[in-house]
Amino acid sequence: MLNVIRADSSDIPAADRGLAYGDGLFETIRMRGRQAVLRRLHLDRMVADAARLGIPVDRRDLDAAITQAGFDYESGFEGFDWVLKLILTRGNGGRGYRLPEICQPHLIVSVSAMPALPDNGGVVADCSRFPLTVNPQLAGIKTLNRLEQVMASREFTGKEFELIMRDSAGNLVEGTRTNLFVRHGDKWLTPPAGSLAVAGVMRKYLIDCLRETGHEIREETVPPSILSLPGFRGLYLTNSVVGIVPVRIMSGVDLPVDCGLETICDPLQTLE
Amino acid sequence: MLNVIRADSSDIPAADRGLAYGDGLFETIRMRGRQAVLRRLHLDRMVADAARLGIPVDRRDLDAAITQAGFDYESGFEGFDWVLKLILTRGNGGRGYRLPEICQPHLIVSVSAMPALPDNGGVVADCSRFPLTVNPQLAGIKTLNRLEQVMASREFTGKEFELIMRDSAGNLVEGTRTNLFVRHGDKWLTPPAGSLAVAGVMRKYLIDCLRETGHEIREETVPPSILSLPGFRGLYLTNSVVGIVPVRIMSGVDLPVDCGLETICDPLQTLE
């Protein structure tokens, strides 16, 4: 049985393993009225990744929590889109890191207003100096272990929409809160799922959408040199709240902004 | 001003960044009556590592929290040693990963009984199949990002006191909750601080103690092959609660147990 905790009316037990060890994961969902953007993909990811962590959860309980949140919170946002955050933790207990004998997960539900959306003309990005290290067994899971992203975010100066994190070889992997897509010639590239700290649902949607619309999309390592190669046509940042954001200036260098990923794929068509 | 939260009487705000991102760190301290074992080293580490994370905290506030916990909780353990856990988080707030403009950390204080101490004759250990990945910028910090240790702990079968985690090259790095010391010939070895997920205060104490008593102790990579080299004389696991524990059987192979690290260094002499 899933223990649902509304963050606006309840605190969290101090024994929650999400606090103690980051033993859980989360989804951040864009809501329009009572409907969720990319609902099925959010549920798919949360169920699949909870299984990877061994946290038992029933998809129907998560689905019901989204529906309930839509009823409970829609009116507070007066017609504007809003953001639903679901944190799923392994619950309380256990001796140290060891799992409790009976696992009773917590689902912590909180909401917030939409962040300011960036200018359509593209955003400013830079590279973070904080390296990204991905455990292959946890790759892609939006776990509660996000200290690397927090530390990278300390470098924001106020000029950048996003800071791009690199692996130990210097390859561009992902932003602090976004995934990357590169347009090179007629191909699209995005770093492989196995290299990612977080494999976003928007990333999944866009890969599927590009394939369905006849585009070539490859999951490949993205070295920073690609941005200055002949044939480079654009860099995009994506997440499920802000959608698809072209980068206009990267590390102080003007980039072309002309490929229209947002005109090929429109995630707002997925409202459920 | 440090906001101290007693876990036995208060819940945690759902907006705590420790829950959201593992944005914090912790200490687990062995207490004897009102006194703390390795008190100065625990305070040294917590203050130094909070500074690495950019979490503002005054050492005197942490020291006072240990003293207060000694007064508050000693009597509940009826003369037995007990365990004090201090979780320091960056507090509430911020937009996503970004830090709040004003950081008001939380110190969450909880206590527990001592775990069962292992047999003096040595314990059974094995290797975890879960790989350990250490971000060089976070190496050694006992952060709240401990999902790797949780996942490794799922492999305990009930026979092992500890599971040893390895890096991507297969070197022995640390246990899920302990550091490693190897006796090889007349030298002691322990993996370098920069390779560790958690650099324990007991490890620090033992390195200092071995040096002060004229022993040679090197911080070096520990390949598993060292356990079968001529001259190998013992493998020890250490942490600040259980102390120093020799390994009697590693991955099913009997090891020599004869070097007496626990007779060279006695952390219980550090009570303050």
Side-chain angles (χ1 to χ4, degrees), chain A residues 11-12 21-22 52 95 97 113 131 133 135 144-148 151 176, chain B residues 11-12 21-22 95 97 113 131 133 135 144-148 151 176:
Chain A
D11 287 343
I12 308 303
Y21 310 124
R52 285 176 67 190
R95 176 95 215 176
Y97 300 126
T133 312
N135 186 306
L144 299 174
N145 280 209
R146 296 270 74 92
L147 202 38
E148 291 181 315
M151 295 299 284
T176 62
Chain B
D11 287 343
I12 308 303
Y21 309 125
R95 176 94 215 177
Y97 299 126
T133 311
N135 186 306
L144 299 174
N145 280 208
R146 295 269 75 93
L147 202 38
E148 292 181 315
M151 295 299 283
T176 62

PDB file of all heavy atoms in Angstrom, chain A residues 11-12 21-22 52 95 97 113 131 133 135 144-148 151 176, chain B residues 11-12 21-22 95 97 113 131 133 135 144-148 151 176:
ATOM      1  N   ASP A  11       4.462  16.970   7.187  1.00  0.00           N
ATOM      2  CA  ASP A  11       5.909  16.846   7.148  1.00  0.00           C
ATOM      3  C   ASP A  11       6.267  15.399   6.816  1.00  0.00           C
ATOM      4  O   ASP A  11       5.395  14.559   6.601  1.00  0.00           O
ATOM      5  CB  ASP A  11       6.510  17.273   8.493  1.00  0.00           C
ATOM      6  CG  ASP A  11       6.441  18.786   8.692  1.00  0.00           C
ATOM      7  OD1 ASP A  11       6.248  19.499   7.697  1.00  0.00           O
ATOM      8  OD2 ASP A  11       6.566  19.224   9.844  1.00  0.00           O
ATOM      9  N   ILE A  12       7.566  15.139   6.789  1.00  0.00           N
ATOM     10  CA  ILE A  12       8.075  13.823   6.386  1.00  0.00           C
ATOM     11  C   ILE A  12       8.661  13.148   7.624  1.00  0.00           C
ATOM     12  O   ILE A  12       9.365  13.792   8.399  1.00  0.00           O
ATOM     13  CB  ILE A  12       9.197  14.007   5.343  1.00  0.00           C
ATOM     14  CG1 ILE A  12       8.729  14.900   4.197  1.00  0.00           C
ATOM     15  CG2 ILE A  12       9.692  12.661   4.835  1.00  0.00           C
ATOM     16  CD1 ILE A  12       7.508  14.412   3.489  1.00  0.00           C
ATOM     17  N   TYR A  21      19.363   8.528   2.763  1.00  0.00           N
ATOM     18  CA  TYR A  21      20.297   7.997   1.759  1.00  0.00           C
ATOM     19  C   TYR A  21      19.976   8.423   0.325  1.00  0.00           C
ATOM     20  O   TYR A  21      20.632   7.968  -0.602  1.00  0.00           O
ATOM     21  CB  TYR A  21      20.300   6.453   1.809  1.00  0.00           C
ATOM     22  CG  TYR A  21      20.488   5.893   3.191  1.00  0.00           C
ATOM     23  CD1 TYR A  21      19.566   5.009   3.747  1.00  0.00           C
ATOM     24  CD2 TYR A  21      21.589   6.262   3.954  1.00  0.00           C
ATOM     25  CE1 TYR A  21      19.728   4.505   5.015  1.00  0.00           C
ATOM     26  CE2 TYR A  21      21.755   5.768   5.233  1.00  0.00           C
ATOM     27  CZ  TYR A  21      20.827   4.884   5.758  1.00  0.00           C
ATOM     28  OH  TYR A  21      20.992   4.389   7.029  1.00  0.00           O
ATOM     29  N   GLY A  22      18.958   9.259   0.147  1.00  0.00           N
ATOM     30  CA  GLY A  22      18.500   9.511  -1.219  1.00  0.00           C
ATOM     31  C   GLY A  22      17.922   8.249  -1.829  1.00  0.00           C
ATOM     32  O   GLY A  22      18.008   8.032  -3.040  1.00  0.00           O
ATOM     33  N   ARG A  52      14.026  -1.019 -10.947  1.00  0.00           N
ATOM     34  CA  ARG A  52      15.499  -1.131 -10.950  1.00  0.00           C
ATOM     35  C   ARG A  52      16.058  -0.933  -9.544  1.00  0.00           C
ATOM     36  O   ARG A  52      17.052  -1.552  -9.173  1.00  0.00           O
ATOM     37  CB  ARG A  52      16.121  -0.103 -11.904  1.00  0.00           C
ATOM     38  CG  ARG A  52      15.960  -0.459 -13.376  1.00  0.00           C
ATOM     39  CD  ARG A  52      16.503   0.641 -14.283  1.00  0.00           C
ATOM     40  NE  ARG A  52      17.947   0.811 -14.194  1.00  0.00           N
ATOM     41  CZ  ARG A  52      18.609   1.832 -14.751  1.00  0.00           C
ATOM     42  NH1 ARG A  52      17.961   2.758 -15.438  1.00  0.00           N
ATOM     43  NH2 ARG A  52      19.916   1.906 -14.628  1.00  0.00           N
ATOM     44  N   ARG A  95      18.173  -1.333   8.973  1.00  0.00           N
ATOM     45  CA  ARG A  95      19.342  -1.092   9.826  1.00  0.00           C
ATOM     46  C   ARG A  95      20.422  -0.513   8.928  1.00  0.00           C
ATOM     47  O   ARG A  95      20.999  -1.224   8.112  1.00  0.00           O
ATOM     48  CB  ARG A  95      19.792  -2.391  10.475  1.00  0.00           C
ATOM     49  CG  ARG A  95      21.049  -2.268  11.312  1.00  0.00           C
ATOM     50  CD  ARG A  95      20.762  -2.038  12.785  1.00  0.00           C
ATOM     51  NE  ARG A  95      21.771  -1.166  13.385  1.00  0.00           N
ATOM     52  CZ  ARG A  95      21.715  -0.740  14.643  1.00  0.00           C
ATOM     53  NH1 ARG A  95      20.707  -1.075  15.425  1.00  0.00           N
ATOM     54  NH2 ARG A  95      22.641   0.048  15.111  1.00  0.00           N
ATOM     55  N   TYR A  97      22.152   0.977   5.835  1.00  0.00           N
ATOM     56  CA  TYR A  97      21.791   0.927   4.422  1.00  0.00           C
ATOM     57  C   TYR A  97      20.867  -0.239   4.097  1.00  0.00           C
ATOM     58  O   TYR A  97      20.177  -0.241   3.083  1.00  0.00           O
ATOM     59  CB  TYR A  97      23.053   0.820   3.571  1.00  0.00           C
ATOM     60  CG  TYR A  97      24.005   1.980   3.750  1.00  0.00           C
ATOM     61  CD1 TYR A  97      25.341   1.770   4.085  1.00  0.00           C
ATOM     62  CD2 TYR A  97      23.572   3.290   3.596  1.00  0.00           C
ATOM     63  CE1 TYR A  97      26.222   2.828   4.249  1.00  0.00           C
ATOM     64  CE2 TYR A  97      24.444   4.360   3.767  1.00  0.00           C
ATOM     65  CZ  TYR A  97      25.755   4.126   4.091  1.00  0.00           C
ATOM     66  OH  TYR A  97      26.619   5.176   4.262  1.00  0.00           O
ATOM     67  N   ALA A 113       4.420  26.638  -9.107  1.00  0.00           N
ATOM     68  CA  ALA A 113       4.122  27.360 -10.353  1.00  0.00           C
ATOM     69  C   ALA A 113       5.165  26.988 -11.401  1.00  0.00           C
ATOM     70  O   ALA A 113       6.256  26.539 -11.079  1.00  0.00           O
ATOM     71  CB  ALA A 113       4.155  28.862 -10.089  1.00  0.00           C
ATOM     72  N   PRO A 131      32.464  17.913 -12.633  1.00  0.00           N
ATOM     73  CA  PRO A 131      32.368  16.738 -13.504  1.00  0.00           C
ATOM     74  C   PRO A 131      31.155  15.875 -13.154  1.00  0.00           C
ATOM     75  O   PRO A 131      30.707  15.859 -12.005  1.00  0.00           O
ATOM     76  CB  PRO A 131      33.665  15.984 -13.195  1.00  0.00           C
ATOM     77  CG  PRO A 131      33.986  16.358 -11.773  1.00  0.00           C
ATOM     78  CD  PRO A 131      33.515  17.778 -11.602  1.00  0.00           C
ATOM     79  N   THR A 133      29.653  12.092 -12.905  1.00  0.00           N
ATOM     80  CA  THR A 133      30.095  10.711 -12.755  1.00  0.00           C
ATOM     81  C   THR A 133      28.848   9.847 -12.679  1.00  0.00           C
ATOM     82  O   THR A 133      28.000  10.082 -11.821  1.00  0.00           O
ATOM     83  CB  THR A 133      30.912  10.530 -11.461  1.00  0.00           C
ATOM     84  OG1 THR A 133      31.887  11.556 -11.390  1.00  0.00           O
ATOM     85  CG2 THR A 133      31.585   9.183 -11.428  1.00  0.00           C
ATOM     86  N   ASN A 135      27.127   6.117 -12.292  1.00  0.00           N
ATOM     87  CA  ASN A 135      27.246   4.686 -11.989  1.00  0.00           C
ATOM     88  C   ASN A 135      26.453   3.921 -13.053  1.00  0.00           C
ATOM     89  O   ASN A 135      25.269   4.184 -13.247  1.00  0.00           O
ATOM     90  CB  ASN A 135      26.683   4.403 -10.597  1.00  0.00           C
ATOM     91  CG  ASN A 135      26.928   2.965 -10.179  1.00  0.00           C
ATOM     92  OD1 ASN A 135      26.567   2.023 -10.888  1.00  0.00           O
ATOM     93  ND2 ASN A 135      27.563   2.778  -9.036  1.00  0.00           N
ATOM     94  N   LEU A 144      17.030  10.345  -6.049  1.00  0.00           N
ATOM     95  CA  LEU A 144      17.169  11.474  -5.120  1.00  0.00           C
ATOM     96  C   LEU A 144      18.637  11.785  -4.812  1.00  0.00           C
ATOM     97  O   LEU A 144      18.912  12.672  -4.009  1.00  0.00           O
ATOM     98  CB  LEU A 144      16.419  11.165  -3.819  1.00  0.00           C
ATOM     99  CG  LEU A 144      14.912  10.937  -3.983  1.00  0.00           C
ATOM    100  CD1 LEU A 144      14.295  10.491  -2.663  1.00  0.00           C
ATOM    101  CD2 LEU A 144      14.215  12.186  -4.488  1.00  0.00           C
ATOM    102  N   ASN A 145      19.568  11.102  -5.440  1.00  0.00           N
ATOM    103  CA  ASN A 145      21.006  11.396  -5.293  1.00  0.00           C
ATOM    104  C   ASN A 145      21.392  12.427  -6.353  1.00  0.00           C
ATOM    105  O   ASN A 145      21.874  12.089  -7.437  1.00  0.00           O
ATOM    106  CB  ASN A 145      21.842  10.124  -5.492  1.00  0.00           C
ATOM    107  CG  ASN A 145      21.896   9.215  -4.272  1.00  0.00           C
ATOM    108  OD1 ASN A 145      22.855   8.493  -4.064  1.00  0.00           O
ATOM    109  ND2 ASN A 145      20.853   9.226  -3.465  1.00  0.00           N
ATOM    110  N   ARG A 146      21.203  13.674  -6.065  1.00  0.00           N
ATOM    111  CA  ARG A 146      21.374  14.729  -7.073  1.00  0.00           C
ATOM    112  C   ARG A 146      22.365  15.796  -6.635  1.00  0.00           C
ATOM    113  O   ARG A 146      22.325  16.921  -7.098  1.00  0.00           O
ATOM    114  CB  ARG A 146      20.013  15.385  -7.398  1.00  0.00           C
ATOM    115  CG  ARG A 146      19.001  14.471  -8.039  1.00  0.00           C
ATOM    116  CD  ARG A 146      19.095  14.474  -9.583  1.00  0.00           C
ATOM    117  NE  ARG A 146      20.222  13.767 -10.126  1.00  0.00           N
ATOM    118  CZ  ARG A 146      20.237  12.475 -10.502  1.00  0.00           C
ATOM    119  NH1 ARG A 146      19.178  11.753 -10.410  1.00  0.00           N
ATOM    120  NH2 ARG A 146      21.323  11.942 -11.018  1.00  0.00           N
ATOM    121  N   LEU A 147      23.295  15.410  -5.780  1.00  0.00           N
ATOM    122  CA  LEU A 147      24.236  16.399  -5.269  1.00  0.00           C
ATOM    123  C   LEU A 147      25.159  16.935  -6.361  1.00  0.00           C
ATOM    124  O   LEU A 147      25.576  18.099  -6.323  1.00  0.00           O
ATOM    125  CB  LEU A 147      25.040  15.764  -4.135  1.00  0.00           C
ATOM    126  CG  LEU A 147      25.718  16.636  -3.097  1.00  0.00           C
ATOM    127  CD1 LEU A 147      24.916  17.855  -2.700  1.00  0.00           C
ATOM    128  CD2 LEU A 147      26.027  15.789  -1.876  1.00  0.00           C
ATOM    129  N   GLU A 148      25.456  16.122  -7.357  1.00  0.00           N
ATOM    130  CA  GLU A 148      26.295  16.616  -8.459  1.00  0.00           C
ATOM    131  C   GLU A 148      25.595  17.770  -9.184  1.00  0.00           C
ATOM    132  O   GLU A 148      26.228  18.766  -9.545  1.00  0.00           O
ATOM    133  CB  GLU A 148      26.593  15.485  -9.450  1.00  0.00           C
ATOM    134  CG  GLU A 148      27.514  14.422  -8.856  1.00  0.00           C
ATOM    135  CD  GLU A 148      27.817  13.330  -9.863  1.00  0.00           C
ATOM    136  OE1 GLU A 148      26.879  12.869 -10.543  1.00  0.00           O
ATOM    137  OE2 GLU A 148      28.983  12.931  -9.977  1.00  0.00           O
ATOM    138  N   MET A 151      25.685  20.841  -6.965  1.00  0.00           N
ATOM    139  CA  MET A 151      27.012  21.470  -6.944  1.00  0.00           C
ATOM    140  C   MET A 151      27.276  22.208  -8.262  1.00  0.00           C
ATOM    141  O   MET A 151      27.824  23.315  -8.262  1.00  0.00           O
ATOM    142  CB  MET A 151      28.085  20.421  -6.676  1.00  0.00           C
ATOM    143  CG  MET A 151      27.984  19.780  -5.293  1.00  0.00           C
ATOM    144  SD  MET A 151      28.164  20.938  -3.915  1.00  0.00           S
ATOM    145  CE  MET A 151      29.931  21.202  -3.922  1.00  0.00           C
ATOM    146  N   THR A 176      22.238  20.510 -16.110  1.00  0.00           N
ATOM    147  CA  THR A 176      21.906  20.199 -14.721  1.00  0.00           C
ATOM    148  C   THR A 176      20.482  19.677 -14.602  1.00  0.00           C
ATOM    149  O   THR A 176      20.186  18.863 -13.737  1.00  0.00           O
ATOM    150  CB  THR A 176      22.045  21.436 -13.818  1.00  0.00           C
ATOM    151  OG1 THR A 176      21.124  22.443 -14.243  1.00  0.00           O
ATOM    152  CG2 THR A 176      23.467  21.979 -13.834  1.00  0.00           C
TER     153      THR A 176
ATOM    154  N   ASP B  11       8.887  15.828  12.824  1.00  0.00           N
ATOM    155  CA  ASP B  11       9.085  15.380  11.456  1.00  0.00           C
ATOM    156  C   ASP B  11       9.966  16.401  10.727  1.00  0.00           C
ATOM    157  O   ASP B  11      10.401  17.390  11.301  1.00  0.00           O
ATOM    158  CB  ASP B  11       7.732  15.224  10.759  1.00  0.00           C
ATOM    159  CG  ASP B  11       6.983  13.990  11.261  1.00  0.00           C
ATOM    160  OD1 ASP B  11       7.625  13.119  11.874  1.00  0.00           O
ATOM    161  OD2 ASP B  11       5.770  13.910  11.037  1.00  0.00           O
ATOM    162  N   ILE B  12      10.190  16.125   9.446  1.00  0.00           N
ATOM    163  CA  ILE B  12      11.089  16.949   8.634  1.00  0.00           C
ATOM    164  C   ILE B  12      10.249  17.715   7.620  1.00  0.00           C
ATOM    165  O   ILE B  12       9.341  17.138   7.016  1.00  0.00           O
ATOM    166  CB  ILE B  12      12.082  16.034   7.873  1.00  0.00           C
ATOM    167  CG1 ILE B  12      12.779  15.063   8.844  1.00  0.00           C
ATOM    168  CG2 ILE B  12      13.083  16.842   7.073  1.00  0.00           C
ATOM    169  CD1 ILE B  12      13.512  15.724   9.965  1.00  0.00           C
ATOM    170  N   TYR B  21      17.289  16.149  -2.745  1.00  0.00           N
ATOM    171  CA  TYR B  21      18.485  15.942  -3.572  1.00  0.00           C
ATOM    172  C   TYR B  21      19.620  15.233  -2.845  1.00  0.00           C
ATOM    173  O   TYR B  21      20.702  15.085  -3.404  1.00  0.00           O
ATOM    174  CB  TYR B  21      19.011  17.298  -4.070  1.00  0.00           C
ATOM    175  CG  TYR B  21      17.948  18.163  -4.716  1.00  0.00           C
ATOM    176  CD1 TYR B  21      17.703  19.462  -4.266  1.00  0.00           C
ATOM    177  CD2 TYR B  21      17.187  17.673  -5.764  1.00  0.00           C
ATOM    178  CE1 TYR B  21      16.730  20.251  -4.849  1.00  0.00           C
ATOM    179  CE2 TYR B  21      16.205  18.447  -6.346  1.00  0.00           C
ATOM    180  CZ  TYR B  21      15.984  19.741  -5.886  1.00  0.00           C
ATOM    181  OH  TYR B  21      15.013  20.511  -6.466  1.00  0.00           O
ATOM    182  N   GLY B  22      19.399  14.837  -1.597  1.00  0.00           N
ATOM    183  CA  GLY B  22      20.528  14.357  -0.815  1.00  0.00           C
ATOM    184  C   GLY B  22      21.519  15.473  -0.551  1.00  0.00           C
ATOM    185  O   GLY B  22      22.729  15.226  -0.443  1.00  0.00           O
ATOM    186  N   ARG B  95      15.179  27.188  -6.101  1.00  0.00           N
ATOM    187  CA  ARG B  95      14.376  26.813  -7.274  1.00  0.00           C
ATOM    188  C   ARG B  95      15.067  25.616  -7.903  1.00  0.00           C
ATOM    189  O   ARG B  95      16.146  25.742  -8.482  1.00  0.00           O
ATOM    190  CB  ARG B  95      14.308  27.982  -8.250  1.00  0.00           C
ATOM    191  CG  ARG B  95      13.574  27.676  -9.543  1.00  0.00           C
ATOM    192  CD  ARG B  95      12.114  28.065  -9.501  1.00  0.00           C
ATOM    193  NE  ARG B  95      11.293  27.120 -10.272  1.00  0.00           N
ATOM    194  CZ  ARG B  95       9.982  27.179 -10.373  1.00  0.00           C
ATOM    195  NH1 ARG B  95       9.297  28.123  -9.763  1.00  0.00           N
ATOM    196  NH2 ARG B  95       9.314  26.283 -11.060  1.00  0.00           N
ATOM    197  N   TYR B  97      17.471  22.680  -8.379  1.00  0.00           N
ATOM    198  CA  TYR B  97      18.768  22.395  -7.772  1.00  0.00           C
ATOM    199  C   TYR B  97      19.450  23.651  -7.230  1.00  0.00           C
ATOM    200  O   TYR B  97      20.339  23.571  -6.395  1.00  0.00           O
ATOM    201  CB  TYR B  97      19.691  21.748  -8.811  1.00  0.00           C
ATOM    202  CG  TYR B  97      19.164  20.446  -9.352  1.00  0.00           C
ATOM    203  CD1 TYR B  97      19.022  20.239 -10.720  1.00  0.00           C
ATOM    204  CD2 TYR B  97      18.796  19.415  -8.490  1.00  0.00           C
ATOM    205  CE1 TYR B  97      18.543  19.035 -11.220  1.00  0.00           C
ATOM    206  CE2 TYR B  97      18.314  18.216  -8.984  1.00  0.00           C
ATOM    207  CZ  TYR B  97      18.191  18.031 -10.353  1.00  0.00           C
ATOM    208  OH  TYR B  97      17.718  16.845 -10.839  1.00  0.00           O
ATOM    209  N   ALA B 113      20.360   2.191  19.350  1.00  0.00           N
ATOM    210  CA  ALA B 113      21.210   1.268  20.108  1.00  0.00           C
ATOM    211  C   ALA B 113      22.394   0.859  19.236  1.00  0.00           C
ATOM    212  O   ALA B 113      22.336   0.921  18.011  1.00  0.00           O
ATOM    213  CB  ALA B 113      20.402   0.039  20.515  1.00  0.00           C
ATOM    214  N   PRO B 131      28.988  -1.869  -8.660  1.00  0.00           N
ATOM    215  CA  PRO B 131      30.224  -1.085  -8.776  1.00  0.00           C
ATOM    216  C   PRO B 131      30.128   0.221  -7.998  1.00  0.00           C
ATOM    217  O   PRO B 131      29.050   0.785  -7.830  1.00  0.00           O
ATOM    218  CB  PRO B 131      30.312  -0.804 -10.280  1.00  0.00           C
ATOM    219  CG  PRO B 131      28.894  -0.793 -10.748  1.00  0.00           C
ATOM    220  CD  PRO B 131      28.167  -1.811  -9.900  1.00  0.00           C
ATOM    221  N   THR B 133      31.200   4.148  -7.890  1.00  0.00           N
ATOM    222  CA  THR B 133      31.622   5.241  -8.764  1.00  0.00           C
ATOM    223  C   THR B 133      31.773   6.486  -7.900  1.00  0.00           C
ATOM    224  O   THR B 133      30.830   6.867  -7.219  1.00  0.00           O
ATOM    225  CB  THR B 133      30.554   5.511  -9.851  1.00  0.00           C
ATOM    226  OG1 THR B 133      30.189   4.285 -10.447  1.00  0.00           O
ATOM    227  CG2 THR B 133      31.078   6.450 -10.908  1.00  0.00           C
ATOM    228  N   ASN B 135      32.681  10.505  -7.596  1.00  0.00           N
ATOM    229  CA  ASN B 135      32.960  11.792  -8.218  1.00  0.00           C
ATOM    230  C   ASN B 135      34.164  12.420  -7.521  1.00  0.00           C
ATOM    231  O   ASN B 135      34.149  12.570  -6.298  1.00  0.00           O
ATOM    232  CB  ASN B 135      31.733  12.707  -8.092  1.00  0.00           C
ATOM    233  CG  ASN B 135      31.915  14.013  -8.857  1.00  0.00           C
ATOM    234  OD1 ASN B 135      32.885  14.731  -8.655  1.00  0.00           O
ATOM    235  ND2 ASN B 135      30.980  14.303  -9.741  1.00  0.00           N
ATOM    236  N   LEU B 144      24.566  12.620   1.796  1.00  0.00           N
ATOM    237  CA  LEU B 144      23.297  11.879   1.840  1.00  0.00           C
ATOM    238  C   LEU B 144      23.015  11.152   0.525  1.00  0.00           C
ATOM    239  O   LEU B 144      21.956  10.550   0.381  1.00  0.00           O
ATOM    240  CB  LEU B 144      22.148  12.844   2.175  1.00  0.00           C
ATOM    241  CG  LEU B 144      22.289  13.551   3.531  1.00  0.00           C
ATOM    242  CD1 LEU B 144      21.179  14.594   3.692  1.00  0.00           C
ATOM    243  CD2 LEU B 144      22.225  12.549   4.673  1.00  0.00           C
ATOM    244  N   ASN B 145      23.927  11.201  -0.411  1.00  0.00           N
ATOM    245  CA  ASN B 145      23.784  10.460  -1.681  1.00  0.00           C
ATOM    246  C   ASN B 145      24.394   9.074  -1.496  1.00  0.00           C
ATOM    247  O   ASN B 145      25.568   8.845  -1.824  1.00  0.00           O
ATOM    248  CB  ASN B 145      24.496  11.192  -2.825  1.00  0.00           C
ATOM    249  CG  ASN B 145      23.722  12.359  -3.415  1.00  0.00           C
ATOM    250  OD1 ASN B 145      23.892  12.702  -4.582  1.00  0.00           O
ATOM    251  ND2 ASN B 145      22.881  12.993  -2.624  1.00  0.00           N
ATOM    252  N   ARG B 146      23.641   8.148  -0.985  1.00  0.00           N
ATOM    253  CA  ARG B 146      24.194   6.845  -0.597  1.00  0.00           C
ATOM    254  C   ARG B 146      23.472   5.683  -1.250  1.00  0.00           C
ATOM    255  O   ARG B 146      23.475   4.559  -0.749  1.00  0.00           O
ATOM    256  CB  ARG B 146      24.161   6.686   0.936  1.00  0.00           C
ATOM    257  CG  ARG B 146      25.043   7.665   1.699  1.00  0.00           C
ATOM    258  CD  ARG B 146      26.448   7.117   1.939  1.00  0.00           C
ATOM    259  NE  ARG B 146      27.305   7.134   0.780  1.00  0.00           N
ATOM    260  CZ  ARG B 146      28.156   8.128   0.452  1.00  0.00           C
ATOM    261  NH1 ARG B 146      28.266   9.180   1.189  1.00  0.00           N
ATOM    262  NH2 ARG B 146      28.907   8.042  -0.614  1.00  0.00           N
ATOM    263  N   LEU B 147      22.887   5.948  -2.406  1.00  0.00           N
ATOM    264  CA  LEU B 147      22.123   4.896  -3.066  1.00  0.00           C
ATOM    265  C   LEU B 147      23.012   3.736  -3.516  1.00  0.00           C
ATOM    266  O   LEU B 147      22.564   2.582  -3.534  1.00  0.00           O
ATOM    267  CB  LEU B 147      21.375   5.511  -4.255  1.00  0.00           C
ATOM    268  CG  LEU B 147      20.157   4.831  -4.818  1.00  0.00           C
ATOM    269  CD1 LEU B 147      19.275   4.187  -3.757  1.00  0.00           C
ATOM    270  CD2 LEU B 147      19.362   5.828  -5.629  1.00  0.00           C
ATOM    271  N   GLU B 148      24.262   4.009  -3.854  1.00  0.00           N
ATOM    272  CA  GLU B 148      25.159   2.920  -4.238  1.00  0.00           C
ATOM    273  C   GLU B 148      25.348   1.941  -3.075  1.00  0.00           C
ATOM    274  O   GLU B 148      25.356   0.725  -3.268  1.00  0.00           O
ATOM    275  CB  GLU B 148      26.516   3.472  -4.676  1.00  0.00           C
ATOM    276  CG  GLU B 148      26.447   4.244  -5.979  1.00  0.00           C
ATOM    277  CD  GLU B 148      27.798   4.763  -6.412  1.00  0.00           C
ATOM    278  OE1 GLU B 148      28.517   5.305  -5.545  1.00  0.00           O
ATOM    279  OE2 GLU B 148      28.140   4.643  -7.593  1.00  0.00           O
ATOM    280  N   MET B 151      22.148  -0.035  -2.631  1.00  0.00           N
ATOM    281  CA  MET B 151      21.992  -1.084  -3.655  1.00  0.00           C
ATOM    282  C   MET B 151      22.943  -2.248  -3.395  1.00  0.00           C
ATOM    283  O   MET B 151      22.570  -3.416  -3.547  1.00  0.00           O
ATOM    284  CB  MET B 151      22.215  -0.483  -5.048  1.00  0.00           C
ATOM    285  CG  MET B 151      21.178   0.556  -5.445  1.00  0.00           C
ATOM    286  SD  MET B 151      19.470  -0.068  -5.513  1.00  0.00           S
ATOM    287  CE  MET B 151      19.532  -0.949  -7.086  1.00  0.00           C
ATOM    288  N   THR B 176      30.462  -1.414   2.341  1.00  0.00           N
ATOM    289  CA  THR B 176      29.269  -0.567   2.261  1.00  0.00           C
ATOM    290  C   THR B 176      29.249   0.448   3.397  1.00  0.00           C
ATOM    291  O   THR B 176      28.736   1.550   3.228  1.00  0.00           O
ATOM    292  CB  THR B 176      27.976  -1.391   2.335  1.00  0.00           C
ATOM    293  OG1 THR B 176      27.928  -2.072   3.608  1.00  0.00           O
ATOM    294  CG2 THR B 176      27.894  -2.418   1.206  1.00  0.00           C
TER     295      THR B 176
END
